[in-house]
Amino acid sequence: AINKASRRAVVRSLSRTTSPSPGISSSLLSPTAIMAPPKCKVPAASKITQAIVDSIKEDALKKKDEPARVAAANKITEIVTASGVPEEPFLIQLLGVAITLAGDNKSKDVRAAADIACAVFPTKLSEFAVRACLEPIFAGFNSQFWQSKMRALELIDNFVVRNPRAVAACLPEIIPELSQVMVDMRDEVKAKSTDTMSKCGTCVGNIDIDPFIPTLIECIHAVDEVPECVHKLAATTFVQQVEAPTLSIMGPLLQRGLFFQQITAIKRKSAVIIDNMCKLVEDPMDAAPFLPKLLPLLKRAMDEVADPECRQVCTRAYKTLLIAAGESTDAVFTEDSLGKRTDESTVRAQMTEMMVEASGASEAEITTFLTSAEVEPYFEYICKLATNALLAKNFDFETWKKSCATPYLALFFEGAEDATKALVEKAHAAYEASKKVFIVEDEEGEDLCKCDFSLAYGALILLNNCTLHMKKGKRYGLCGPNGCGKSTLMKAINNGQVEGFPPADELRTVYVEHDIQGDQHEMTTVEFVLDDAVVKHHGTTAEEVETTLASFSFTERMIKGPVVALSGGWKMKLALCRAIFMKADILLLDEPTNHLDVKNVAWLEEYLCSQTTVSSMIVSHDAGFLDRVCTHIIHYETRKLVTYKGNLTEFIRQCPAAKKYTELSNDELKFIFPKPGFLEGVKNKDKAIVKANNCHYTYPNTDRQIIGGASIQLSLSSRVACLGPNGAGKSTFIKLLTGEAEPDIGTVWKHPNMRYAYVAQHAFHHVEQHLEKTPNEYIRWRFQTGEDKENLTKVTAQYTEEEERLMKEKIPVPQEDGGILKLVVEKLISRRQKKSKYEYEVQWKGLSMDMTTWMEREKLLKFGFEKYMNRVDEREAARAGLYARPLTQANVEKHLIDFGLDAEFGTHNRIKGLSGGQKVKLVLGSAMWQQPHIIVMDEPTNYLDRDALGALAMAVKEFDGGVLLITHNCEFADALKEETWECPGDGKLYVTGNKWGQGKKAGKGENVTALIEDEVIDALGNIIKVKGPKKKLSRKEIKATAKARASKLAEGQDLTTDSDWELDEYIGEAKETKAQAKAKA
């Protein structure tokens, strides 16, 4: 019964105009008895009434009465401490009063009392009361007093500790409000809100985004970091399902990425991320809260961005977001719109229906009962708690019985426990029915894993709601085109990111990567194997490692020697050995046959087939290897994984379209190599432009001579395959030719204007230092000075101490008056050809820039300038190749498209987000930018799929320059080679099929025709006339030009045209030709 004091308080409240707080019905102010339907009862009176709450509110608002405010705070503490389940719904109103009093700017006593009051609330509220408390918490956030903001933040911290999932369910509402507090002017609030945001980030529960959360939080403070954060998010791998908490933590970044101040590239990237993330959302309710926040920004970008391609991407993201939220694509949303999501109205309807069924009363009777003054506070509170639990996807009956429904439902409904159970079961059934069901054909054998998951980058969807099912002792080949996500999937499995995949303590996976570099170069192979935590954990001894390495055909020299001395094939074998000592249940082999010769591939096949308790997942572009090893094929089909029983041949029988995996041809993808630039003096394709004579080489700190007495030559018509076993010295010899290494004995000569395109065995070493650049940016950086910056790191470009000493010595320079002046070279500026010799323009130290001298190459050679002149030669050669193609974004984008890297990956995605095959296309494309004359490819088949391999083969056949291949892929080599260099490992090089020096006698000599462009278009769209190679003048033309020049000089005119200045050169060449003809006669 309500005591007399409470009745008087009710009367006073009736006389006031203050309306009751939200969530409490106005009918509570007129306590009229009601008739309870069957199984229902009127709850007993609570210790807290609306009258008491209003009285405390009134005292808290007395700004001039400090004791009244202190008393109000103390009263709240007293009431909350003594409260129980019947009083809990009323505590929410008192919480708002306590937070307000905590910011009292007139009295520290009031603040101290309010702080105590705020501290007692968390233990008295349900762990699912987060949603119910959002209104007073947000009121605290918006308070003008910083102390109130601090208390509101502390309340969120408490909920994070008690029930992180309940907080995660409310993150779509919390994150936007909390983001505003993070930019507060008060340092204490800024620091505390950042800490609270970090704690909220731990509630997301998505291990894909967890490492990225600090970066997301940082960009809220530092707006300048938004572009970098967007790029990092685009490269983040997503395996788990994307739900509302994940989207909410990314929301502030994506909103800022779409702001009108951002550059077009960041707006486009943000739209791509939105588009792809929404494709990973299963429940439309997860995406719905973000429609009002993101759609207006996307719409603005669609209307205002100048770039039509960016507008198209934003339009696609706009429609995808609407579809993900269950809306039609023509729906209109503004910033004030409300997104559809599970809320109290849904729970209210379900509970009403449940009570109607249980009681047998009519819906009208139950509704009247639930909206009565005595019942409504409890019913609404239950709806808030239940909504929070459902959004958290919590369907645990014991939790609901303890903290969510039963204690409060029992106050006014008989059989509360049964009702709660029925409600949970119904909600769980509805949730499960909404999930997609995957049916996988089963077979005999022990299951290792059976899981459903998605796989994506922020900027690319790879797999969507697919199933992975693996059995013990089976060997699964993973097939799909380059860039579909094969390596990404295996890395995600190894990192424990795949949802539903057994943890490492239950199922051990070992990922064997293709690009094994031996990061501990100074270690021996045994030390390298033992330098792994898992191997150490198993107690493996050095003797065991040596025995196993010996069984893998490692020689004593290899076992005792350093890792750096091993070839690429032996390093791969070493990685496989270490994987064996990790005692894996599943071996994840990414291109295991890369760098392995035929003998070692056969060994690997035998080893894998002999393992009856270890399963393997294999990615390989070697069709024969997959056919001989695999028991199953897992195929990427429309962002799904489809498992076929049998080897590759059986797979092709079931899926004929997959025949392309075994053929070295391609109709869909095409590589277009640029035509080689003009080479002065080379009129026939058989003329040698590279020669190596009697070359010897030994690796530093080793005693084995890897190359001994090798001699070769290359021309524009060369089609050479360099063959031999692992470790025989093939790659080493190629490095001698390209300048990556320098022979100990012998010489390597190349035409001064000749340009190489070199794709190394470890193809990524050119780009691994530039992972934060896009491919387009990388090429423009690499060639921005007119020369290839990667060449500057070659051994042949590094000066020895003796060369540096010689270059600093004074050089005697003849003067016009006949005297000799000794000067020190500051730099070589340019090069010109005078008659049949080259001269270099020298700038001297201590003299002005206009006092330069042209000196012959032979004279500069005596003073150690050979490497410097070679660098000038390469720069001049590069300029000769670049005259037709300005280094602009559009030109580079078109060039990358010619190598199978479309604009999405070539211009808009960073290198670190590319697959292995895409990186090889970048390396190949960047090496070909300068229109090379010779292409050197060391193991090009290692990372390319069959489509790309077929495109490469066709491009090589059509290329007008020379090609040198190192490959273990016999099919690829046989299709292209005309000449063979055998390197058996004895230090010698055996050449067959060559036609050196035969020229047109061999029947294949072809004249070289230079492709001269009349005009080009620069970055600003201007048409530039191009001057082609210098034209040879006849005797008659030389005389006419000489007469015209003499007339100019006689009239006192300046000689301004190139023809005037080049006349002496023509006359000199004519005299030389005449003298040679006379000498022959």
Side-chain angles (χ1 to χ4, degrees):
I2 302 177
N3 58 34
K4 293 181 179 180
S6 296
R7 289 181 184 276
R8 286 195 297 270
V10 171
V11 173
R12 287 199 304 271
S13 67
L14 286 171
S15 63
R16 291 195 295 268
T17 57
T18 306
S19 61
S21 300
I24 302 297
S25 173
S26 60
S27 61
L28 186 62
L29 300 178
S30 52
T32 305
I34 60 171
M35 292 295 293
K39 290 193 175 184
C40 300
K41 60 183 178 180
V42 178
S46 168
K47 296 177 183 178
I48 307 175
T49 65
Q50 186 61 42
I52 294 174
V53 173
D54 288 341
S55 176
I56 293 174
K57 283 184 177 180
E58 182 181 3
D59 291 340
L61 293 174
K62 294 179 179 178
K63 294 297 183 183
K64 296 182 179 181
D65 190 348
E66 179 181 334
R69 301 199 302 280
V70 173
N74 290 333
K75 184 66 174 176
I76 292 174
T77 303
E78 178 185 344
I79 291 174
V80 175
T81 303
S83 66
V85 170
E87 290 75 38
E88 198 170 323
F90 300 96
L91 298 185
I92 306 301
Q93 293 185 69
L94 294 178
L95 176 61
V97 177
I99 292 175
T100 301
L101 288 173
D104 192 295
N105 66 333
K106 295 182 179 297
S107 171
K108 64 179 182 179
D109 294 335
V110 175
R111 294 196 297 271
D115 289 347
I116 295 172
C118 290
V120 298
F121 275 95
T123 57
K124 294 295 181 178
L125 293 172
S126 166
E127 60 182 300
F128 288 100
V130 183
R131 189 174 178 85
C133 293
L134 288 183
E135 184 178 343
I137 288 174
F138 292 165
F141 285 174
N142 294 319
S143 172
Q144 59 181 318
F145 304 114
W146 67 274
Q147 294 93 338
S148 292
K149 297 178 181 180
M150 297 290 282
R151 300 295 85 76
L153 292 168
E154 289 169 358
L155 190 63
I156 292 181
D157 291 348
N158 275 299
F159 277 120
V160 169
V161 174
R162 295 182 64 199
N163 193 339
R165 291 299 300 165
V167 176
C170 298
L171 285 183
E173 291 81 16
I174 293 175
I175 295 295
E177 298 290 338
L178 190 53
S179 299
Q180 298 300 317
V181 184
M182 287 178 64
V183 294
D184 192 90
M185 298 297 293
R186 188 88 184 188
D187 290 340
E188 293 93 331
V189 175
K190 189 181 295 185
K192 178 61 183 172
S193 58
T194 301
D195 180 63
T196 299
M197 180 68 87
S198 299
K199 292 176 179 177
C200 288
T202 64
C203 302
V204 171
N206 187 310
I207 60 175
D208 302 327
I209 200 71
D210 283 349
F212 190 63
I213 288 175
T215 306
L216 286 168
I217 295 173
E218 180 61 28
C219 81
I220 296 176
H221 286 302
V223 180
D224 294 341
E225 296 295 324
V226 169
E228 185 64 24
C229 289
V230 170
H231 283 298
K232 288 181 179 179
L233 181 59
T236 301
T237 304
F238 289 90
V239 178
Q240 294 189 314
Q241 178 184 336
V242 174
E243 298 177 336
T246 306
L247 291 173
S248 62
I249 200 72
M250 294 191 297
L253 173 64
L254 295 176
Q255 287 176 259
R256 294 192 176 197
L258 289 170
F259 281 167
F260 66 93
Q261 298 99 329
Q262 289 294 348
I263 60 175
T264 299
I266 299 303
K267 290 181 181 179
R268 183 192 182 280
K269 184 78 74 175
S270 300
V272 170
I273 293 171
I274 292 171
D275 182 40
N276 287 311
M277 287 298 94
C278 288
K279 292 174 183 175
L280 296 179
V281 176
E282 285 190 18
D283 189 350
M285 295 298 179
D286 287 328
F290 305 96
L291 296 185
K293 300 179 179 66
L294 296 176
L295 284 180
L297 294 173
L298 286 170
K299 186 67 169 65
R300 176 187 290 177
M302 290 161 53
D303 296 337
E304 297 178 0
V305 173
D307 183 1
E309 197 269 344
C310 179
R311 292 200 304 270
Q312 185 178 1
V313 172
C314 291
T315 302
R316 187 171 67 241
Y318 186 93
K319 293 180 178 179
T320 304
L321 182 55
L322 283 170
I323 293 171
E327 300 284 353
S328 62
T329 55
D330 56 355
V332 178
F333 277 79
T334 65
E335 294 180 4
D336 298 325
S337 302
L338 296 176
K340 295 179 182 178
R341 195 178 186 220
T342 299
D343 57 14
E344 289 73 11
S345 62
T346 306
V347 178
R348 192 179 296 118
Q350 292 295 325
M351 288 193 67
T352 301
E353 182 182 343
M354 179 269 297
M355 291 181 68
V356 169
E357 293 177 359
S359 65
S362 66
E363 184 176 347
E365 289 177 318
I366 293 296
T367 302
T368 302
F369 175 73
L370 294 177
T371 55
S372 64
E374 292 84 350
V375 180
E376 186 177 26
Y378 301 107
F379 182 65
E380 291 297 325
Y381 189 62
I382 293 172
C383 290
K384 288 183 180 294
L385 299 182
T387 300
N388 205 153
L390 291 175
L391 289 173
K393 296 180 173 58
N394 187 309
F395 304 103
D396 179 51
F397 171 63
E398 293 299 324
T399 302
W400 279 64
K401 186 170 71 172
K402 176 185 175 183
S403 307
C404 200
T406 305
Y408 315 98
L409 192 58
L411 295 174
F412 60 87
F413 188 72
E414 297 175 0
E417 187 172 322
D418 292 338
T420 301
K421 187 174 184 179
L423 186 64
V424 173
E425 290 176 349
K426 187 173 183 179
H428 194 200
Y431 173 71
E432 290 296 329
S434 67
K435 296 174 67 175
K436 297 174 183 177
V437 180
F438 302 94
I439 300 175
V440 180
E441 183 180 351
D442 209 346
E443 60 177 296
E444 293 183 0
E446 180 183 342
D447 280 343
L448 290 181
C449 72
K450 192 173 185 180
C451 50
D452 302 330
F453 64 97
S454 295
L455 178 65
Y457 287 108
L460 179 66
I461 298 291
L462 300 173
L463 293 170
N464 192 12
N465 297 322
C466 68
T467 299
L468 177 64
H469 188 191
M470 297 182 69
K471 295 280 187 178
K472 187 173 184 177
K474 305 298 182 181
R475 298 174 295 280
Y476 297 86
L478 201 56
C479 290
N482 273 345
C484 69
K486 301 184 293 294
S487 297
T488 303
L489 172 59
M490 293 207 293
K491 289 178 181 177
I493 291 173
N494 192 55
N495 295 335
Q497 292 176 268
V498 174
E499 195 169 9
F501 198 89
D505 55 353
E506 296 179 15
L507 188 70
R508 179 173 298 282
T509 60
V510 176
Y511 179 59
V512 184
E513 198 169 0
H514 42 64
D515 206 7
I516 303 298
Q517 296 287 345
D519 46 351
Q520 301 91 346
H521 278 179
E522 300 304 320
M523 291 183 176
T524 66
T525 53
V526 175
E527 292 170 341
F528 179 79
V529 172
L530 293 175
D531 188 41
D532 181 272
V534 177
V535 176
K536 290 178 181 177
H537 176 73
H538 289 303
T540 306
T541 64
E543 291 75 17
E544 292 175 324
V545 175
E546 288 185 10
T547 302
T548 305
L549 287 173
S551 69
F552 281 17
S553 302
F554 277 75
T555 65
E556 187 69 21
R557 181 196 294 266
M558 293 178 180
I559 294 174
K560 301 296 184 183
V563 173
V564 69
L566 297 178
S567 68
W570 286 104
K571 285 179 182 177
M572 174 59 73
K573 215 170 177 182
L574 179 63
L576 290 168
C577 177
R578 185 165 69 172
I580 291 169
F581 281 111
M582 293 181 184
K583 299 181 180 179
D585 297 304
I586 298 179
L587 282 174
L588 304 173
L589 304 173
D590 194 355
E591 299 290 357
T593 61
N594 279 6
H595 317 297
L596 295 183
D597 55 23
V598 176
K599 181 179 177 181
N600 281 316
V601 169
W603 168 86
L604 179 61
E605 291 172 2
E606 181 181 354
Y607 173 78
L608 292 176
C609 293
S610 67
Q611 302 300 302
T612 57
T613 59
V614 179
S615 295
S616 303
M617 179 182 284
I618 306 166
V619 171
S620 177
H621 293 127
D622 187 337
F625 174 75
L626 290 178
D627 200 42
R628 292 185 291 271
V629 169
C630 292
T631 60
H632 296 74
I633 298 295
I634 301 176
H635 191 223
Y636 279 68
E637 296 180 9
T638 60
R639 299 196 181 97
K640 305 290 183 187
L641 292 178
V642 181
T643 303
Y644 295 84
K645 191 174 181 180
N647 62 4
L648 191 63
T649 301
E650 179 63 20
F651 163 55
I652 293 173
R653 189 186 66 77
Q654 299 176 61
C655 183
K659 192 176 181 181
K660 62 183 180 181
Y661 294 129
T662 64
E663 296 177 344
L664 192 62
S665 61
N666 179 43
D667 298 327
E668 300 175 3
L669 180 63
K670 185 178 182 180
F671 290 171
I672 303 175
F673 287 0
K675 286 187 174 296
F678 174 73
L679 277 180
E680 193 166 358
V682 179
K683 299 180 180 179
N684 186 275
K685 286 190 175 182
D686 284 343
K687 183 174 182 179
I689 56 177
V690 178
K691 290 182 180 180
N693 184 37
N694 193 31
C695 289
H696 297 70
Y697 183 77
T698 302
Y699 271 111
N701 303 321
T702 63
D703 56 3
R704 179 195 169 195
Q705 189 178 59
I706 196 93
I707 300 293
S711 299
I712 58 88
Q713 71 180 43
L714 291 170
S715 66
L716 290 174
S717 63
S718 294
R719 293 293 184 272
V720 181
C722 187
L723 307 177
N726 289 132
K730 304 183 299 297
S731 298
T732 304
F733 186 60
I734 298 304
K735 289 179 180 179
L736 297 182
L737 296 181
T738 60
E740 297 282 333
E742 198 168 12
D744 303 327
I745 303 174
T747 58
V748 176
W749 171 89
K750 68 183 184 70
H751 189 287
N753 287 352
M754 196 277 293
R755 297 183 295 277
Y756 274 117
Y758 179 40
V759 181
Q761 185 181 59
H762 300 290
F764 306 154
H765 84 289
H766 280 164
V767 299
E768 61 189 6
Q769 304 299 322
H770 307 277
L771 299 180
E772 299 301 321
K773 293 184 176 72
T774 66
N776 198 306
E777 291 169 344
Y778 167 70
I779 290 180
R780 285 184 282 135
W781 166 86
R782 181 169 168 177
F783 300 103
Q784 64 185 354
T785 60
E787 58 186 336
D788 188 350
K789 290 184 179 179
E790 301 289 3
N791 285 345
L792 303 183
T793 61
K794 291 181 179 179
V795 172
T796 52
Q798 308 298 316
Y799 303 123
T800 64
E801 292 183 2
E802 178 64 17
E803 288 169 334
E804 289 182 345
R805 184 187 64 79
L806 288 172
M807 289 167 63
K808 293 177 181 178
E809 290 185 357
K810 292 184 177 181
I811 298 177
V813 182
Q815 302 298 303
E816 293 182 358
D817 59 2
I820 300 293
L821 189 63
K822 292 189 175 183
L823 301 172
V824 177
V825 175
E826 182 171 340
K827 63 180 179 180
L828 302 183
I829 300 175
S830 60
R831 184 194 70 183
R832 73 180 182 184
Q833 187 173 11
K834 188 172 183 180
K835 298 183 179 179
S836 60
K837 297 182 179 180
Y838 284 115
E839 291 184 345
Y840 296 83
E841 187 178 8
V842 182
Q843 183 176 324
W844 306 103
K845 284 187 178 180
L847 298 183
S848 62
M849 293 182 64
D850 59 340
M851 297 181 67
T852 58
T853 307
W854 288 96
M855 299 195 70
E856 293 182 353
R857 181 182 180 90
E858 288 73 15
K859 187 170 185 178
L860 289 172
L861 278 174
K862 297 177 182 178
F863 291 90
F865 283 91
E866 181 178 8
K867 291 179 180 177
Y868 201 148
M869 289 187 290
N870 289 342
R871 181 176 171 182
V872 174
D873 290 343
E874 289 178 357
R875 186 169 66 237
E876 293 295 324
R879 287 175 180 170
L882 291 175
Y883 71 88
R885 286 195 302 179
L887 193 65
T888 64
Q889 178 175 319
N891 283 338
V892 174
E893 183 174 299
K894 182 181 181 301
H895 177 73
L896 289 172
I897 291 173
D898 287 344
F899 287 87
L901 209 58
D902 60 30
E904 184 65 41
F905 296 104
T907 304
H908 303 297
N909 275 293
R910 293 188 173 184
I911 295 173
K912 66 181 180 182
L914 300 183
S915 70
Q918 290 167 333
K919 286 179 182 176
V920 173
K921 292 175 184 177
L922 167 60
V923 171
L924 191 60
S926 57
M928 298 290 286
W929 171 255
Q930 291 186 326
Q931 298 170 272
H933 304 91
I934 299 289
I935 303 174
V936 180
M937 292 184 283
D938 193 350
E939 300 286 7
T941 64
N942 280 350
Y943 314 95
L944 298 176
D945 59 14
R946 303 294 294 190
D947 286 348
L949 209 54
L952 179 62
M954 295 301 296
V956 167
K957 288 178 181 178
E958 296 174 1
F959 182 52
D960 285 339
V963 179
L964 170 57
L965 299 172
I966 294 179
T967 179
H968 293 303
N969 189 318
C970 297
E971 180 187 7
F972 185 73
D974 292 341
L976 300 175
K977 71 177 182 180
E978 296 177 2
E979 180 179 333
T980 304
W981 297 351
E982 288 285 349
C983 192
D986 59 359
K988 304 295 183 181
L989 195 69
Y990 302 92
V991 181
T992 58
N994 73 83
K995 298 180 180 180
W996 302 342
Q998 298 182 34
K1000 292 186 178 180
K1001 296 178 182 179
K1004 71 166 191 173
E1006 182 180 344
N1007 291 334
V1008 177
T1009 56
L1011 179 65
I1012 306 299
E1013 299 283 351
D1014 294 332
E1015 56 186 34
V1016 296
I1017 300 177
D1018 67 8
L1020 300 177
N1022 302 310
I1023 297 177
I1024 308 297
K1025 296 293 183 181
V1026 177
K1027 181 182 177 183
K1030 184 173 62 177
K1031 179 184 176 183
K1032 294 289 185 181
L1033 300 182
S1034 64
R1035 290 181 60 190
K1036 186 176 180 180
E1037 288 172 328
I1038 291 175
K1039 286 183 178 180
T1041 305
K1043 186 176 181 180
R1045 188 175 73 168
S1047 300
K1048 284 185 179 181
L1049 291 173
E1051 296 173 3
Q1053 298 182 20
D1054 292 332
L1055 301 181
T1056 57
T1057 64
D1058 290 341
S1059 60
D1060 292 331
W1061 289 104
E1062 292 171 354
L1063 181 60
D1064 290 334
E1065 187 175 335
Y1066 288 127
I1067 294 174
E1069 290 176 354
K1071 288 180 178 179
E1072 186 176 354
T1073 302
K1074 186 175 180 180
Q1076 290 175 351
K1078 186 176 180 181
K1080 288 182 179 179

